[in-house]
Amino acid sequence: MIELGIMFGLMGVTAVALIVKLLRRNRTENVDGLLIEQASRVLARNDRGTYSSAAVHNSSPTVRDYRP
């Protein structure tokens, strides 16, 4: 019975610690950080389109695709 109390106590302490950590995260407050995040989102969106399965497998072969 004591083991169950210890286990639930540790799980509760872990949950509270994670909640506190998530609530104390620093948010981007300046414009530079927001612009960096926006640029990385745009780059990720472009990469998902460029390197998607359909784009890779349905493209025409290039010189690099042929090995001597």
Side-chain angles (χ1 to χ4, degrees):
M1 190 68 183
I2 294 174
E3 294 86 4
L4 282 176
I6 292 172
M7 182 182 74
F8 286 126
L10 288 174
M11 287 174 31
V13 167
T14 304
V16 169
L18 288 174
I19 290 170
V20 168
K21 181 168 178 72
L22 287 174
L23 291 177
R24 292 187 61 190
R25 286 193 319 187
N26 291 334
R27 300 200 172 170
T28 304
E29 296 178 1
N30 57 11
V31 176
D32 295 333
L34 292 174
L35 291 174
I36 291 170
E37 289 177 12
Q38 182 182 14
S40 69
R41 277 196 311 271
V42 169
L43 181 63
R45 185 182 327 134
N46 290 338
D47 286 346
R48 281 193 297 271
T50 302
Y51 300 112
S52 69
S53 179
V56 171
H57 293 294
N58 294 330
S59 63
S60 58
T62 61
V63 175
R64 238 186 292 170
D65 293 335
Y66 298 107
R67 294 184 182 170

